[in-house]
Amino acid sequence: MAVTVVFIGKLADLAGEGEREVTAPLSWGGLEDALGADLAEAASQDRTKIAVNGAVLADKTTLQAKDGDEVALLPPVSGG
């Protein structure tokens, strides 16, 4: 049973990969543990968003992903 965690933009650079499989079910605390210190710190920043199966969470700490779900970490966007 697994959840696919997808890293976008600079978070993919930080992770050194575009995606990673982690054990399901997955909560916010479990995601932080699976990411490691640097990625967890980046993910916890206010401007970093988390989406589950394409739906952005209003409060990332409510993350509850189950087997087969995709969790995307979305870094802040810049540009004009």
Side-chain angles (χ1 to χ4, degrees), residues 35-60:
L35 294 178
D38 290 342
L39 269 174
E41 181 180 333
S44 67
Q45 293 177 358
D46 287 341
R47 294 182 56 206
T48 301
K49 303 296 181 195
I50 294 183
V52 178
N53 298 326
V56 177
L57 300 178
D59 179 358
K60 66 182 97 183

Side-chain angles (χ1 to χ4, degrees), residues 21-78:
E21 297 288 319
V22 297
T23 304
L26 184 65
S27 65
W28 172 248
L31 177 62
E32 287 182 309
D33 291 344
L35 294 178
D38 290 342
L39 269 174
E41 181 180 333
S44 67
Q45 293 177 358
D46 287 341
R47 294 182 56 206
T48 301
K49 303 296 181 195
I50 294 183
V52 178
N53 298 326
V56 177
L57 300 178
D59 179 358
K60 66 182 97 183
T61 64
T62 64
L63 173 65
Q64 293 298 319
K66 59 188 181 315
D67 184 39
D69 284 348
E70 179 183 89
V71 174
L73 277 67
L74 311 168
V77 239
S78 61

